[in-house]
Amino acid sequence: AWPNLFISYYTYGQAIGLGLDLSLRDRSNGKVTGDQFMNTLWTQFGRPGQKEPGKVATTYTVDGLKETLSKVSGDRNFTNDFFNKYIEGRELVDYTRLLARAGFVVRKPAAGAAFAGQVNLQPAGSAFRVAGMVPMDSPLYKAGVAQDDQLVTLGGADLGPTKTLEAALANHKAGDRVALRFVRRSGEIVNTTIALEEDPRVEVVLVEKSGGTLSDDQRRFRDSWLGSLQKR
């Protein structure tokens, strides 16, 4: 997965499918599910035994998907909104709210911690070589660091065999502006300033394991949701 993407394109469809399933369950209190949507699509577009082996007689289209979701959900406005925002648009499903309905907490495990960017670093003598893409809009990217550059110092601390980037970042906090020295692959030495940000990475944990209490409604919703997954 490329860190330039908020969700890897390998699993992007699955993530949207999760969001649709939870959205249908949330708005219907568990009566309408993503499984019902997929079963209806199978009935209309996916049944085998067509004239040509391996092919279906009726192929699905975006309009067909919308029409089917409208029938299953009973709400064309919901369908149009979901497609416009999350499938044809670029917005991100509100996983935090939807997962909370099932008693899961989406949180930042390193809230407040300094973050320079999710990069692959390899030892290179007394420095670290950036061995992959530098995520767009990350602090390192904004500071001008690119693939194959070598990070030499951060905040005046030498990087290399005795000190990793993570160890150097531990001396700072989100929002700090610190000195950064790196060497471009051309050999040019660059002395600049990097604006550290808060670590944006998140994790999903059970509400019971985050210090919270699972409500009866959350338990029922979770049991219904996860129970349906186990039956597949």
Side-chain angles (χ1 to χ4, degrees):
W2 297 106
N4 279 329
L5 304 174
F6 60 88
I7 300 176
S8 165
Y9 61 84
Y10 290 110
T11 54
Y12 190 73
Q14 296 177 39
I16 294 178
L18 170 66
L20 177 59
D21 181 36
L22 287 174
S23 295
L24 289 170
R25 292 174 184 273
D26 175 59
R27 65 193 307 276
S28 68
N29 201 27
K31 295 178 181 178
V32 182
T33 72
D35 286 339
Q36 293 173 2
F37 174 55
M38 295 303 295
N39 287 335
T40 305
L41 287 176
W42 173 255
T43 300
Q44 294 179 341
F45 303 107
R47 287 181 298 177
Q50 310 296 337
K51 294 179 181 179
E52 294 185 57
K55 295 185 178 181
V56 295
T58 305
T59 57
Y60 70 85
T61 63
V62 172
D63 287 341
L65 295 176
K66 290 181 178 179
E67 188 64 29
T68 303
L69 183 57
S70 295
K71 291 179 180 178
V72 171
S73 66
D75 190 337
R76 187 174 296 276
N77 289 332
F78 163 75
T79 296
N80 290 337
D81 186 64
F82 195 92
F83 269 79
N84 289 339
K85 288 182 177 179
Y86 312 124
I87 298 177
E88 297 170 325
R90 298 182 179 181
E91 294 186 44
L92 186 63
V93 175
D94 189 356
Y95 295 101
T96 299
R97 185 188 68 80
L98 291 172
L99 286 169
R101 182 78 194 272
F104 289 90
V105 175
V106 179
R107 66 183 184 184
K108 293 181 178 180
F115 180 77
Q118 190 175 345
V119 291
N120 179 19
L121 300 178
Q122 294 183 350
S126 58
F128 280 104
R129 182 178 69 86
V130 181
M133 296 176 63
V134 178
M136 292 182 292
D137 291 332
S138 68
L140 285 171
Y141 182 90
K142 295 174 183 177
V145 177
Q147 184 172 347
D148 290 330
D149 290 348
Q150 294 186 16
L151 306 182
V152 181
T153 66
L154 178 73
D158 292 335
L159 301 175
T162 60
K163 191 162 191 177
T164 64
L165 178 61
E166 288 74 17
L169 288 171
N171 296 321
H172 304 282
K173 63 181 183 300
D176 286 351
R177 297 181 63 87
V178 300
L180 172 68
R181 174 180 293 179
F182 66 95
V183 180
R184 299 193 188 281
R185 49 188 168 187
S186 63
E188 176 189 3
I189 298 176
V190 179
N191 292 293
T192 187
T193 299
I194 182 171
L196 301 175
E197 300 175 0
E198 182 182 40
D199 193 330
R201 290 170 289 190
V202 298
E203 64 179 1
V204 180
V205 297
L206 295 170
V207 65
E208 309 95 297
K209 295 188 176 181
S210 66
T213 302
L214 182 69
S215 69
D216 290 340
D217 179 70
Q218 287 174 319
R219 186 185 302 278
R220 286 192 294 269
F221 190 93
R222 181 195 293 177
D223 290 346
S224 174
W225 176 44
L226 297 183
S228 69
L229 297 178
Q230 293 173 353
K231 294 176 182 178
R232 294 179 182 176

